[in-house]
Amino acid sequence: QVQLVESGGGLVQPGGSLRLSCAASGSIFSIYFMGWYRQAPGKEREQVAGIFSGGSINYAESVKGRFTISRDNAKNTVYLQMNSVKPEDTAVYYCNAVVSTTRFDTFDYWGQGTQVTVSS
């Protein structure tokens, strides 16, 4: 079993910054992918940013140039640095990880979500 624990959400003013963290723990053989998704009220969950074990990174168009994803492989932790935030960034942010617990399997795990509210 693998657990993802998120932290860093909260209330931030437009134009401000926030940093989210997500630490994976448990029976981990390797982590193929870690990423962030978000879901605003009345909207579908969307990918914000993701980083693969080989270092490839992708971002949603709406956050390019403002958000930066990074990963500390030694700590099995992924970060999302959110700069120049906008009210439309308000959502529950979820951490996602694709994890192998042995060399023969791969599972998809989700964190519990952390609320980010951008408001003055």
Side-chain angles (χ1 to χ4, degrees), residues 59-115:
Y59 292 100
E61 285 295 327
S62 59
V63 306
K64 280 184 179 178
R66 300 188 298 121
F67 292 8
T68 301
I69 190 170
S70 60
R71 179 171 163 178
D72 185 333
N73 290 328
K75 296 181 178 179
N76 290 330
T77 298
V78 66
Y79 305 95
L80 185 69
Q81 179 66 44
M82 305 168 61
N83 297 330
S84 302
V85 296
K86 304 175 181 179
E88 50 263 43
D89 294 322
T90 296
V92 178
Y93 284 70
Y94 296 91
C95 177
N96 171 252
V98 179
V99 178
S100 294
T101 60
T102 71
R103 64 169 63 186
F104 304 111
D105 62 27
T106 301
F107 297 101
D108 199 25
Y109 292 96
W110 292 90
Q112 78 283 0
T114 185
Q115 177 70 46

Side-chain angles (χ1 to χ4, degrees), residues 8-67:
L11 175 65
V12 60
Q13 293 187 342
S17 298
L18 207 61
R19 190 193 195 206
L20 306 183
S21 301
C22 171
S25 63
S27 182
I28 297 172
F29 177 74
S30 66
I31 301 178
Y32 173 69
F33 170 88
M34 296 189 82
W36 292 94
Y37 289 71
R38 67 186 181 188
Q39 188 167 19
K43 294 187 177 181
E44 294 188 355
R45 189 174 296 189
E46 63 174 354
Q47 187 183 65
V48 177
I51 183 167
F52 292 85
S53 57
S56 297
I57 290 174
N58 53 43
Y59 292 100
E61 285 295 327
S62 59
V63 306
K64 280 184 179 178
R66 300 188 298 121
F67 292 8

